[in-house]
Every structure is written in C-alpha cells, then in structure tokens.
Coordinates of all heavy atoms in Angstrom, one line a residue:
M1 N 8.1 -3.3 -5.9 CA 7.9 -3.2 -7.4 C 6.6 -2.4 -7.7 O 6.6 -1.6 -8.6 CB 7.8 -4.6 -7.9 CG 7.5 -4.7 -9.4 SD 7.7 -6.2 -10.2 CE 6.4 -7.2 -9.6
L2 N 5.5 -2.7 -6.9 CA 4.3 -2.0 -7.2 C 4.4 -0.5 -7.0 O 3.8 0.3 -7.8 CB 3.2 -2.6 -6.3 CG 1.8 -1.9 -6.6 CD1 1.3 -2.2 -8.0 CD2 0.8 -2.5 -5.6
I3 N 5.1 -0.1 -6.0 CA 5.3 1.3 -5.7 C 5.9 2.0 -6.9 O 5.6 3.1 -7.3 CB 6.0 1.6 -4.4 CG1 5.8 3.1 -4.0 CG2 7.5 1.3 -4.5 CD1 6.1 3.4 -2.6
I4 N 6.9 1.4 -7.6 CA 7.5 1.9 -8.7 C 6.5 2.1 -9.9 O 6.5 3.1 -10.5 CB 8.7 1.1 -9.2 CG1 9.8 1.1 -8.1 CG2 9.3 1.5 -10.5 CD1 10.9 0.1 -8.3
I5 N 5.7 1.1 -10.1 CA 4.6 1.1 -11.1 C 3.7 2.3 -10.8 O 3.3 3.0 -11.7 CB 3.9 -0.2 -11.2 CG1 4.9 -1.3 -11.7 CG2 2.7 -0.1 -12.1 CD1 4.3 -2.7 -11.6
L6 N 3.2 2.4 -9.5 CA 2.3 3.4 -9.2 C 3.0 4.8 -9.4 O 2.3 5.7 -9.9 CB 1.9 3.3 -7.7 CG 0.9 2.2 -7.4 CD1 0.7 2.0 -5.9 CD2 -0.4 2.5 -8.1
L7 N 4.2 4.9 -9.0 CA 4.9 6.2 -9.2 C 5.0 6.6 -10.7 O 4.9 7.7 -11.1 CB 6.2 6.2 -8.5 CG 6.2 6.2 -7.0 CD1 7.6 6.1 -6.4 CD2 5.5 7.5 -6.5
L8 N 5.3 5.5 -11.5 CA 5.4 5.8 -13.0 C 4.0 6.2 -13.5 O 3.9 7.2 -14.3 CB 5.8 4.5 -13.7 CG 7.3 4.2 -13.6 CD1 7.6 2.8 -14.2 CD2 8.2 5.2 -14.2
V9 N 3.0 5.6 -13.1 CA 1.6 5.9 -13.6 C 1.3 7.3 -13.2 O 0.8 8.2 -13.9 CB 0.6 4.9 -13.1 CG1 -0.8 5.4 -13.3 CG2 0.7 3.6 -13.7
V10 N 1.6 7.6 -11.9 CA 1.3 9.0 -11.4 C 2.2 10.0 -12.1 O 1.7 11.1 -12.4 CB 1.6 9.0 -9.8 CG1 1.6 10.4 -9.3 CG2 0.5 8.2 -9.1
S11 N 3.4 9.8 -12.3 CA 4.3 10.8 -12.9 C 3.9 11.0 -14.4 O 4.0 12.1 -14.9 CB 5.7 10.4 -12.9 OG 6.0 9.2 -13.7
I12 N 3.4 10.0 -15.1 CA 2.9 10.2 -16.4 C 1.7 11.2 -16.5 O 1.6 12.0 -17.4 CB 2.5 8.9 -17.1 CG1 3.8 8.0 -17.3 CG2 1.8 9.0 -18.4 CD1 3.5 6.6 -17.7
F13 N 0.9 11.1 -15.5 CA -0.4 11.9 -15.5 C -0.3 13.0 -14.5 O -1.4 13.4 -14.0 CB -1.6 11.0 -15.3 CG -1.7 9.9 -16.4 CD1 -1.4 8.6 -16.1 CD2 -2.1 10.3 -17.6 CE1 -1.5 7.6 -17.1 CE2 -2.2 9.3 -18.6 CZ -2.0 8.0 -18.4
N14 N 0.8 13.4 -14.1 CA 1.0 14.4 -13.1 C 0.2 15.7 -13.3 O -0.2 16.3 -12.4 CB 2.5 14.7 -12.9 CG 2.8 15.3 -11.5 OD1 2.0 15.2 -10.6 ND2 3.9 15.9 -11.4
G15 N 0.1 16.0 -14.6 CA -0.6 17.3 -14.9 C -2.1 17.2 -14.7 O -2.8 18.2 -14.7
S16 N -2.6 16.0 -14.6 CA -4.1 15.8 -14.4 C -4.4 15.3 -13.0 O -4.8 14.2 -12.8 CB -4.5 14.7 -15.4 OG -4.2 15.1 -16.7
R17 N -4.1 16.1 -12.0 CA -4.3 15.7 -10.7 C -5.7 15.5 -10.3 O -6.0 14.7 -9.3 CB -3.6 16.7 -9.7 CG -3.5 16.1 -8.4 CD -2.5 16.8 -7.5 NE -2.6 16.3 -6.2 CZ -1.8 15.5 -5.6 NH1 -0.7 15.2 -6.2 NH2 -2.0 15.1 -4.4
G18 N -6.7 16.1 -10.9 CA -8.1 15.9 -10.6 C -8.7 14.7 -11.2 O -8.2 14.2 -12.2
G19 N -9.9 14.3 -10.7 CA -10.6 13.2 -11.4 C -9.9 11.9 -11.4 O -9.3 11.5 -10.4
Y20 N -10.1 11.2 -12.5 CA -9.6 9.8 -12.6 C -8.1 9.7 -12.2 O -7.8 8.9 -11.4 CB -9.8 9.4 -14.0 CG -9.2 8.0 -14.4 CD1 -9.8 6.9 -14.0 CD2 -7.9 7.9 -15.0 CE1 -9.3 5.6 -14.3 CE2 -7.4 6.7 -15.3 CZ -8.0 5.6 -15.0 OH -7.5 4.4 -15.3
F21 N -7.2 10.5 -12.8 CA -5.8 10.3 -12.5 C -5.4 10.8 -11.1 O -4.5 10.3 -10.5 CB -5.0 11.0 -13.6 CG -5.2 10.4 -14.9 CD1 -5.8 11.2 -15.9 CD2 -4.9 9.1 -15.2 CE1 -6.0 10.6 -17.2 CE2 -5.1 8.5 -16.4 CZ -5.7 9.3 -17.4
G22 N -6.1 11.8 -10.6 CA -5.9 12.3 -9.3 C -6.2 11.2 -8.2 O -5.5 11.1 -7.2
D23 N -7.2 10.3 -8.5 CA -7.5 9.3 -7.6 C -6.4 8.2 -7.5 O -6.3 7.5 -6.6 CB -8.8 8.6 -8.1 CG -10.0 9.5 -7.8 OD1 -9.9 10.4 -7.0 OD2 -11.1 9.3 -8.5
L24 N -5.5 8.2 -8.5 CA -4.4 7.2 -8.5 C -3.5 7.5 -7.3 O -2.8 6.7 -6.8 CB -3.7 7.2 -9.8 CG -4.5 6.7 -11.0 CD1 -3.6 6.7 -12.3 CD2 -5.0 5.3 -10.8
F25 N -3.4 8.8 -7.0 CA -2.6 9.2 -5.8 C -3.1 8.6 -4.6 O -2.3 8.2 -3.7 CB -2.5 10.7 -5.7 CG -1.7 11.4 -6.7 CD1 -2.3 12.0 -7.8 CD2 -0.4 11.6 -6.6 CE1 -1.6 12.6 -8.8 CE2 0.4 12.2 -7.5 CZ -0.2 12.7 -8.6
K26 N -4.4 8.4 -4.5 CA -5.1 7.8 -3.3 C -4.6 6.4 -3.2 O -4.3 5.9 -2.1 CB -6.6 7.9 -3.5 CG -7.4 7.1 -2.5 CD -8.8 7.3 -2.6 CE -9.4 6.7 -3.9 NZ -10.8 6.8 -4.1
C27 N -4.4 5.7 -4.3 CA -4.0 4.3 -4.3 C -2.5 4.2 -3.8 O -2.2 3.3 -3.0 CB -4.1 3.6 -5.7 SG -5.8 3.6 -6.3
N28 N -1.7 5.1 -4.2 CA -0.3 5.1 -3.8 C -0.2 5.4 -2.3 O 0.5 4.8 -1.6 CB 0.5 6.2 -4.6 CG 2.0 6.0 -4.3 OD1 2.5 5.0 -4.5 ND2 2.6 7.1 -3.9
D29 N -1.0 6.3 -1.8 CA -1.1 6.6 -0.4 C -1.6 5.4 0.4 O -1.0 5.1 1.5 CB -2.0 7.8 -0.1 CG -1.4 9.1 -0.6 OD1 -0.2 9.2 -0.8 OD2 -2.2 10.1 -0.7
L30 N -2.6 4.7 -0.1 CA -3.1 3.5 0.6 C -2.0 2.5 0.7 O -1.8 1.8 1.8 CB -4.2 2.9 -0.3 CG -4.9 1.7 0.2 CD1 -5.6 1.9 1.5 CD2 -5.7 1.1 -0.8
L31 N -1.2 2.3 -0.4 CA -0.1 1.3 -0.3 C 1.0 1.7 0.7 O 1.4 0.9 1.5 CB 0.6 1.3 -1.7 CG 1.9 0.4 -1.8 CD1 1.6 -1.0 -1.6 CD2 2.6 0.6 -3.1
L32 N 1.3 3.0 0.7 CA 2.4 3.4 1.7 C 1.9 3.3 3.1 O 2.6 2.8 4.0 CB 2.8 4.9 1.4 CG 3.5 5.1 0.1 CD1 3.7 6.6 -0.2 CD2 4.8 4.3 0.0
K33 N 0.6 3.6 3.4 CA 0.1 3.5 4.8 C 0.0 2.0 5.2 O 0.3 1.7 6.3 CB -1.3 4.2 4.9 CG -1.2 5.7 4.9 CD -2.6 6.3 5.0 CE -2.5 7.8 4.9 NZ -3.8 8.5 4.9
C34 N -0.4 1.2 4.3 CA -0.5 -0.2 4.6 C 0.9 -0.8 4.9 O 1.1 -1.6 5.8 CB -1.1 -1.0 3.4 SG -1.3 -2.7 3.7
Q35 N 1.9 -0.4 4.1 CA 3.2 -0.9 4.3 C 3.8 -0.5 5.6 O 4.7 -1.2 6.2 CB 4.2 -0.5 3.2 CG 3.9 -1.2 1.9 CD 4.7 -0.7 0.7 OE1 5.0 0.4 0.6 NE2 4.9 -1.6 -0.2
E36 N 3.3 0.5 6.2 CA 3.7 0.9 7.6 C 3.3 -0.1 8.6 O 3.9 -0.2 9.7 CB 3.2 2.3 7.9 CG 3.8 3.4 7.1 CD 3.1 4.8 7.4 OE1 2.2 4.9 8.2 OE2 3.6 5.8 6.7
T37 N 2.3 -0.9 8.3 CA 1.8 -1.9 9.3 C 2.3 -3.3 9.1 O 2.0 -4.2 9.8 CB 0.2 -2.0 9.2 OG1 -0.1 -2.5 7.9 CG2 -0.4 -0.6 9.3
E38 N 3.2 -3.4 8.1 CA 3.7 -4.8 7.8 C 4.5 -5.4 8.9 O 4.5 -6.6 9.1 CB 4.5 -4.8 6.5 CG 3.7 -4.7 5.2 CD 4.5 -4.7 3.9 OE1 5.7 -4.5 4.0 OE2 3.9 -5.0 2.9
A39 N 5.2 -4.6 9.7 CA 6.0 -5.1 10.8 C 5.1 -5.7 11.8 O 5.5 -6.7 12.4 CB 6.9 -4.0 11.4
I40 N 3.9 -5.2 12.0 CA 3.0 -5.7 13.0 C 2.1 -6.8 12.4 O 1.9 -7.9 13.0 CB 2.2 -4.6 13.6 CG1 3.1 -3.6 14.3 CG2 1.1 -5.1 14.5 CD1 2.4 -2.3 14.7
Q41 N 1.5 -6.5 11.3 CA 0.5 -7.4 10.7 C 1.0 -8.4 9.7 O 0.3 -9.3 9.3 CB -0.6 -6.6 10.0 CG -1.4 -5.7 11.0 CD -2.5 -5.0 10.3 OE1 -2.9 -5.3 9.2 NE2 -3.1 -4.0 11.0
G42 N 2.3 -8.3 9.3 CA 2.9 -9.2 8.4 C 2.6 -8.8 6.9 O 1.7 -7.9 6.6
K43 N 3.4 -9.3 6.0 CA 3.3 -9.0 4.6 C 2.1 -9.7 3.9 O 1.6 -9.2 2.9 CB 4.6 -9.3 3.9 CG 5.7 -8.3 4.1 CD 6.8 -8.6 3.2 CE 7.8 -7.4 3.3 NZ 8.5 -7.2 2.1
Y44 N 1.7 -10.8 4.5 CA 0.7 -11.6 3.8 C -0.4 -12.0 4.8 O -0.2 -12.0 6.0 CB 1.3 -13.0 3.3 CG 2.4 -12.7 2.3 CD1 3.7 -12.6 2.6 CD2 2.0 -12.6 0.9 CE1 4.7 -12.4 1.7 CE2 3.0 -12.3 0.0 CZ 4.3 -12.2 0.4 OH 5.3 -12.0 -0.6
N45 N -1.6 -12.1 4.3 CA -2.7 -12.6 5.1 C -3.3 -13.8 4.3 O -2.9 -14.2 3.3 CB -3.8 -11.5 5.4 CG -4.3 -10.9 4.1 OD1 -4.2 -11.4 3.0 ND2 -5.0 -9.7 4.3
D46 N -4.4 -14.4 4.9 CA -5.0 -15.5 4.2 C -5.5 -15.2 2.8 O -5.3 -16.0 1.9 CB -6.2 -16.1 5.1 CG -5.7 -16.7 6.4 OD1 -4.5 -17.1 6.5 OD2 -6.5 -16.8 7.3
F47 N -6.1 -14.0 2.7 CA -6.6 -13.7 1.3 C -5.5 -13.5 0.3 O -5.6 -14.1 -0.8 CB -7.4 -12.4 1.4 CG -8.0 -12.0 0.1 CD1 -9.1 -12.7 -0.4 CD2 -7.5 -10.9 -0.6 CE1 -9.7 -12.3 -1.6 CE2 -8.1 -10.6 -1.9 CZ -9.2 -11.3 -2.3
A48 N -4.4 -12.9 0.7 CA -3.2 -12.8 -0.2 C -2.6 -14.1 -0.5 O -2.3 -14.4 -1.7 CB -2.2 -11.8 0.4
H49 N -2.5 -15.0 0.5 CA -2.0 -16.3 0.2 C -2.9 -17.1 -0.8 O -2.4 -17.7 -1.7 CB -1.9 -17.1 1.5 CG -0.7 -16.8 2.3 ND1 0.6 -16.9 1.9 CD2 -0.6 -16.4 3.6 CE1 1.5 -16.5 2.8 NE2 0.8 -16.2 3.9
Q50 N -4.2 -17.0 -0.6 CA -5.1 -17.7 -1.5 C -5.1 -17.1 -2.9 O -5.0 -17.9 -3.9 CB -6.5 -17.6 -0.9 CG -7.6 -18.3 -1.7 CD -7.4 -19.8 -1.7 OE1 -6.9 -20.4 -0.8 NE2 -7.8 -20.5 -2.8
F51 N -5.0 -15.8 -3.0 CA -5.0 -15.2 -4.2 C -3.7 -15.6 -5.0 O -3.7 -15.9 -6.2 CB -5.0 -13.6 -4.0 CG -5.6 -12.9 -5.2 CD1 -6.9 -12.7 -5.4 CD2 -4.7 -12.4 -6.2 CE1 -7.5 -12.1 -6.5 CE2 -5.2 -11.8 -7.3 CZ -6.6 -11.6 -7.5
N52 N -2.6 -15.5 -4.3 CA -1.3 -15.9 -4.9 C -1.3 -17.4 -5.4 O -0.8 -17.7 -6.4 CB -0.1 -15.7 -3.9 CG 0.2 -14.2 -3.9 OD1 0.2 -13.5 -4.8 ND2 0.5 -13.7 -2.7
R53 N -1.9 -18.3 -4.6 CA -2.0 -19.7 -4.9 C -2.8 -19.8 -6.2 O -2.4 -20.5 -7.2 CB -2.6 -20.5 -3.8 CG -1.7 -21.5 -3.2 CD -2.4 -22.4 -2.2 NE -3.5 -21.8 -1.4 CZ -3.3 -21.2 -0.2 NH1 -2.1 -21.1 0.3 NH2 -4.3 -20.7 0.5
N54 N -3.9 -19.2 -6.3 CA -4.8 -19.3 -7.4 C -4.2 -18.7 -8.7 O -4.2 -19.3 -9.8 CB -6.2 -18.6 -7.2 CG -7.0 -19.3 -6.2 OD1 -6.8 -20.5 -5.9 ND2 -8.0 -18.6 -5.6
C55 N -3.6 -17.5 -8.5 CA -3.0 -16.9 -9.7 C -1.7 -17.6 -10.2 O -1.4 -17.6 -11.4 CB -2.7 -15.4 -9.3 SG -4.1 -14.4 -9.1
S56 N -1.0 -18.2 -9.2 CA 0.2 -19.0 -9.6 C -0.2 -20.2 -10.5 O 0.4 -20.5 -11.5 CB 0.9 -19.5 -8.4 OG 2.0 -20.2 -8.7
Q57 N -1.4 -20.8 -10.2 CA -1.9 -21.9 -11.0 C -2.4 -21.4 -12.3 O -2.2 -22.0 -13.3 CB -3.0 -22.6 -10.2 CG -2.4 -23.4 -9.0 CD -3.6 -24.0 -8.2 OE1 -4.8 -23.8 -8.4 NE2 -3.2 -24.9 -7.3
E58 N -3.1 -20.2 -12.3 CA -3.7 -19.7 -13.5 C -2.6 -19.1 -14.5 O -2.7 -19.4 -15.7 CB -4.7 -18.6 -13.1 CG -5.5 -18.1 -14.3 CD -6.5 -17.1 -13.9 OE1 -7.2 -17.2 -12.9 OE2 -6.7 -16.1 -14.7
I59 N -1.7 -18.3 -13.9 CA -0.8 -17.6 -14.8 C 0.5 -18.4 -15.0 O 1.1 -18.3 -16.1 CB -0.4 -16.2 -14.1 CG1 -1.6 -15.3 -13.9 CG2 0.7 -15.5 -14.9 CD1 -2.3 -14.9 -15.1
G60 N 0.9 -19.2 -14.0 CA 2.0 -20.0 -14.2 C 3.3 -19.4 -13.6 O 3.2 -18.6 -12.7
S61 N 4.4 -19.8 -14.1 CA 5.7 -19.4 -13.5 C 6.0 -17.9 -13.6 O 6.8 -17.4 -12.9 CB 6.8 -20.2 -14.1 OG 6.9 -19.9 -15.5
K62 N 5.2 -17.2 -14.5 CA 5.4 -15.7 -14.6 C 4.8 -15.0 -13.4 O 5.2 -13.9 -13.2 CB 4.7 -15.2 -15.8 CG 5.4 -15.4 -17.1 CD 4.8 -14.9 -18.3 CE 3.7 -13.9 -18.1 NZ 3.1 -13.3 -19.3
W63 N 4.0 -15.7 -12.6 CA 3.3 -15.0 -11.5 C 4.3 -14.7 -10.4 O 5.1 -15.6 -10.0 CB 2.2 -15.8 -10.9 CG 1.5 -15.1 -9.8 CD1 1.7 -15.4 -8.5 CD2 0.6 -14.0 -9.9 NE1 0.9 -14.5 -7.7 CE2 0.2 -13.7 -8.6 CE3 0.0 -13.3 -11.0 CZ2 -0.7 -12.6 -8.3 CZ3 -0.8 -12.3 -10.7 CH2 -1.2 -12.0 -9.4
S64 N 4.3 -13.5 -9.9 CA 5.1 -13.1 -8.7 C 4.2 -12.8 -7.6 O 3.3 -12.0 -7.7 CB 6.0 -11.9 -9.1 OG 6.8 -11.5 -8.1
N65 N 4.4 -13.5 -6.4 CA 3.5 -13.3 -5.3 C 3.4 -11.8 -4.9 O 4.4 -11.1 -4.9 CB 3.9 -14.1 -4.1 CG 3.6 -15.6 -4.3 OD1 2.8 -15.9 -5.1 ND2 4.3 -16.4 -3.5
I66 N 2.2 -11.4 -4.6 CA 2.0 -10.0 -4.1 C 1.6 -10.0 -2.7 O 1.0 -10.9 -2.2 CB 1.0 -9.3 -5.0 CG1 -0.4 -10.0 -5.0 CG2 1.5 -9.1 -6.4 CD1 -1.5 -9.3 -5.8
T67 N 2.0 -9.0 -2.0 CA 1.7 -8.8 -0.5 C 0.3 -8.3 -0.4 O -0.4 -7.9 -1.3 CB 2.7 -7.8 0.1 OG1 2.4 -6.5 -0.4 CG2 4.1 -8.2 -0.1
R68 N -0.2 -8.4 0.9 CA -1.6 -7.9 1.2 C -1.7 -6.4 0.9 O -2.7 -6.0 0.4 CB -2.0 -8.2 2.6 CG -1.1 -7.5 3.6 CD -1.6 -7.8 5.1 NE -0.7 -7.1 6.0 CZ -0.9 -5.8 6.3 NH1 -1.8 -5.1 5.8 NH2 0.0 -5.2 7.2
C69 N -0.6 -5.7 1.1 CA -0.6 -4.2 0.8 C -0.6 -4.0 -0.7 O -1.4 -3.1 -1.2 CB 0.6 -3.5 1.4 SG 0.6 -3.5 3.3
E70 N 0.1 -4.7 -1.4 CA 0.1 -4.6 -2.9 C -1.3 -4.9 -3.4 O -1.8 -4.3 -4.3 CB 1.2 -5.4 -3.5 CG 2.6 -4.9 -3.3 CD 3.7 -5.9 -3.7 OE1 3.4 -7.2 -3.8 OE2 4.8 -5.5 -4.0
L71 N -1.9 -6.0 -2.9 CA -3.2 -6.4 -3.3 C -4.2 -5.3 -3.0 O -5.1 -5.0 -3.8 CB -3.6 -7.7 -2.6 CG -4.9 -8.3 -3.1 CD1 -4.9 -8.6 -4.6 CD2 -5.1 -9.7 -2.3
E72 N -4.1 -4.6 -1.9 CA -5.0 -3.5 -1.5 C -4.9 -2.4 -2.5 O -5.8 -1.8 -3.0 CB -4.8 -3.0 -0.1 CG -5.3 -4.0 1.0 CD -6.8 -4.2 0.9 OE1 -7.6 -3.2 0.7 OE2 -7.2 -5.4 1.0
A73 N -3.6 -2.0 -2.8 CA -3.3 -1.0 -3.8 C -3.8 -1.3 -5.2 O -4.4 -0.5 -5.9 CB -1.8 -0.6 -3.8
I74 N -3.7 -2.6 -5.6 CA -4.2 -3.0 -6.9 C -5.7 -3.0 -6.9 O -6.3 -2.6 -7.9 CB -3.6 -4.4 -7.2 CG1 -2.1 -4.3 -7.5 CG2 -4.4 -5.0 -8.4 CD1 -1.5 -5.7 -7.6
K75 N -6.3 -3.4 -5.8 CA -7.8 -3.3 -5.8 C -8.2 -1.8 -5.9 O -9.2 -1.6 -6.6 CB -8.3 -3.8 -4.4 CG -8.3 -5.3 -4.4 CD -9.1 -6.0 -3.2 CE -8.8 -5.4 -1.9 NZ -9.4 -6.2 -0.8
C76 N -7.5 -0.9 -5.3 CA -7.8 0.5 -5.5 C -7.6 0.9 -7.0 O -8.5 1.6 -7.5 CB -6.9 1.3 -4.6 SG -7.1 3.1 -4.7
L77 N -6.5 0.5 -7.6 CA -6.3 0.9 -9.0 C -7.4 0.3 -9.9 O -7.9 1.0 -10.8 CB -5.0 0.3 -9.5 CG -3.7 1.1 -9.0 CD1 -2.5 0.3 -9.4 CD2 -3.7 2.5 -9.7
V78 N -7.8 -1.0 -9.7 CA -8.8 -1.6 -10.5 C -10.1 -0.9 -10.3 O -10.8 -0.7 -11.3 CB -8.9 -3.1 -10.1 CG1 -10.2 -3.7 -10.7 CG2 -7.7 -3.8 -10.6
T79 N -10.4 -0.4 -9.1 CA -11.6 0.3 -8.9 C -11.6 1.6 -9.7 O -12.6 2.1 -10.2 CB -11.8 0.7 -7.4 OG1 -11.9 -0.6 -6.7 CG2 -13.0 1.5 -7.1
Q80 N -10.5 2.3 -9.8 CA -10.3 3.5 -10.5 C -10.4 3.3 -12.0 O -10.7 4.2 -12.8 CB -9.0 4.2 -10.2 CG -8.8 4.5 -8.8 CD -9.9 5.3 -8.1 OE1 -10.4 6.2 -8.7 NE2 -10.3 4.9 -6.9
M81 N -10.1 2.1 -12.5 CA -10.2 1.8 -13.9 C -11.5 1.2 -14.3 O -11.7 0.0 -14.7 CB -9.0 0.8 -14.3 CG -7.7 1.3 -14.0 SD -6.5 0.1 -14.3 CE -5.0 1.0 -14.0
N82 N -12.5 1.9 -14.1 CA -13.9 1.6 -14.3 C -14.2 0.3 -15.0 O -13.8 0.1 -16.2 CB -14.6 2.7 -15.1 CG -14.6 4.0 -14.4 OD1 -14.7 4.0 -13.1 ND2 -14.4 5.1 -15.1
G83 N -14.7 -0.7 -14.3 CA -15.2 -1.9 -14.9 C -14.2 -3.0 -15.0 O -14.5 -4.1 -15.4
M84 N -12.9 -2.8 -14.6 CA -12.0 -3.9 -14.6 C -12.3 -4.8 -13.5 O -12.6 -4.4 -12.4 CB -10.5 -3.4 -14.5 CG -9.9 -2.9 -15.7 SD -8.1 -2.5 -15.5 CE -7.4 -4.1 -15.6
D85 N -12.1 -6.1 -13.7 CA -12.3 -7.1 -12.7 C -11.0 -7.3 -11.9 O -9.9 -7.2 -12.5 CB -12.7 -8.5 -13.3 CG -14.1 -8.4 -13.9 OD1 -15.0 -7.7 -13.4 OD2 -14.3 -9.1 -14.9
L86 N -11.2 -7.7 -10.7 CA -10.0 -8.0 -9.9 C -9.7 -9.5 -10.1 O -10.2 -10.4 -9.4 CB -10.2 -7.7 -8.4 CG -9.1 -8.0 -7.4 CD1 -7.9 -7.0 -7.8 CD2 -9.5 -7.8 -6.0
N87 N -8.9 -9.8 -11.1 CA -8.6 -11.2 -11.4 C -7.1 -11.2 -11.7 O -6.4 -10.2 -11.9 CB -9.4 -11.7 -12.6 CG -9.3 -11.0 -13.9 OD1 -8.2 -10.5 -14.2 ND2 -10.4 -10.8 -14.6
C88 N -6.6 -12.5 -11.8 CA -5.2 -12.7 -12.0 C -4.6 -12.0 -13.2 O -3.6 -11.4 -13.2 CB -4.9 -14.2 -12.0 SG -5.4 -15.0 -10.5
E89 N -5.4 -12.2 -14.3 CA -4.9 -11.6 -15.6 C -4.8 -10.1 -15.5 O -3.8 -9.5 -16.0 CB -5.8 -12.0 -16.7 CG -5.4 -11.6 -18.1 CD -6.3 -12.1 -19.2 OE1 -6.9 -13.2 -19.1 OE2 -6.5 -11.3 -20.1
N90 N -5.8 -9.4 -15.0 CA -5.7 -8.0 -14.9 C -4.6 -7.5 -13.9 O -3.9 -6.5 -14.2 CB -7.0 -7.4 -14.4 CG -8.1 -7.5 -15.5 OD1 -7.8 -7.6 -16.7 ND2 -9.3 -7.4 -15.2
I91 N -4.4 -8.2 -12.9 CA -3.3 -7.9 -11.9 C -2.0 -8.1 -12.6 O -1.1 -7.2 -12.5 CB -3.5 -8.7 -10.6 CG1 -4.7 -8.2 -9.8 CG2 -2.2 -8.5 -9.8 CD1 -5.0 -9.0 -8.6
A92 N -1.8 -9.2 -13.3 CA -0.6 -9.4 -14.0 C -0.3 -8.3 -15.0 O 0.8 -7.8 -15.2 CB -0.6 -10.8 -14.7
D93 N -1.4 -7.8 -15.7 CA -1.2 -6.7 -16.7 C -0.8 -5.5 -16.0 O 0.1 -4.8 -16.4 CB -2.5 -6.5 -17.4 CG -2.8 -7.6 -18.5 OD1 -1.9 -8.3 -18.8 OD2 -3.9 -7.7 -18.9
I94 N -1.4 -5.2 -14.8 CA -1.1 -3.9 -14.1 C 0.3 -4.0 -13.6 O 1.0 -3.0 -13.7 CB -2.1 -3.8 -12.9 CG1 -3.5 -3.4 -13.4 CG2 -1.6 -2.7 -12.0 CD1 -4.6 -3.4 -12.4
M95 N 0.8 -5.2 -13.1 CA 2.1 -5.3 -12.6 C 3.1 -5.6 -13.6 O 4.3 -5.8 -13.3 CB 2.1 -6.3 -11.5 CG 1.3 -5.8 -10.3 SD 1.4 -6.9 -8.9 CE 3.1 -6.6 -8.4
H96 N 2.7 -5.8 -14.9 CA 3.6 -6.1 -16.0 C 4.3 -7.4 -15.8 O 5.6 -7.5 -16.0 CB 4.6 -5.0 -16.3 CG 3.9 -3.7 -16.6 ND1 3.2 -3.4 -17.8 CD2 3.7 -2.6 -15.9 CE1 2.7 -2.2 -17.8 NE2 3.0 -1.7 -16.6
L97 N 3.6 -8.4 -15.4 CA 4.3 -9.7 -15.1 C 4.4 -10.4 -16.5 O 3.7 -10.3 -17.4 CB 3.4 -10.6 -14.2 CG 3.3 -10.0 -12.8 CD1 2.4 -10.9 -12.0 CD2 4.6 -9.9 -12.1

C-alpha cells in the first residue's frame, strides 16, 4: 500500500525531480531496498511492533499495521516534510488511513 502512495506522490511531482520532491524518490528507493531484506530479517521488528501497538490504541480500528520497511520509508518522508513529527496521526495522514 505504501509503495502505491509513494508512487502517486512521485508521479504528481515528476516534473520537479530536484530539491524537495526529488528527495521523495530517495524514500521510495529506501522502501524497495528494505523490502528486499524482508525474507531474511522479517517484516516486523520490535520497534514496528511497539509503534503499531501504540498507534492502534491512539488511532483505533482505522489503524493498519505497518511493516518495518514502511516505517523506514515513512520516517524518510516525514524528514522531507520539514518539521513534521513522526507520530501516529501524521503517519495515518500520510497513509490515508
């Protein structure tokens, strides 16, 4: 699901490959590289489990668990969106939950 969101964001701003929007390609690449390791390292780690538990309590039944790779890509996106906090509400907004 996240890869589709990233691709939509990237395709919207395809003409602006430099600067802010060009950095979004970096987040998509990070996601794809991370997903290549899922067979060995697994889809979830302790941080992702804890984050999903907390966000499930905070957001409620709308929350959809995210993998460690999706979390890494979201952290990358949040970093590119100057000043956004890595919290459940912002992640839900990014993922359109």
Side-chain angles (χ1 to χ4, degrees):
M1 177 166 74
L2 180 62
I3 196 163
I4 293 169
I5 294 167
L6 286 172
L7 290 174
L8 285 173
V9 169
V10 167
S11 67
I12 290 170
F13 301 106
N14 200 19
S16 303
R17 193 164 171 107
Y20 174 81
F21 298 116
D23 290 340
L24 297 178
F25 287 97
K26 174 175 65 175
C27 300
N28 191 53
D29 290 343
L30 178 71
L31 174 66
L32 295 174
K33 286 180 184 176
C34 182
Q35 287 176 329
E36 291 174 0
T37 69
E38 284 183 343
I40 297 168
Q41 295 183 15
K43 284 190 170 208
Y44 299 93
N45 59 13
D46 290 340
F47 184 73
H49 281 302
Q50 180 68 28
F51 206 87
N52 283 321
R53 242 186 329 269
N54 291 342
C55 291
S56 181
Q57 290 174 351
E58 184 178 322
I59 302 295
S61 62
K62 282 183 15 178
W63 182 259
S64 180
N65 286 344
I66 56 176
T67 67
R68 65 178 178 82
C69 293
E70 290 171 334
L71 189 54
E72 287 300 316
I74 290 170
K75 286 193 307 190
C76 178
L77 283 172
V78 166
T79 300
Q80 303 307 317
M81 296 176 180
N82 300 322
M84 276 185 83
D85 292 326
L86 183 64
N87 61 39
C88 301
E89 185 177 323
N90 287 341
I91 289 174
D93 287 344
I94 290 170
M95 296 188 66
H96 302 286
L97 297 177

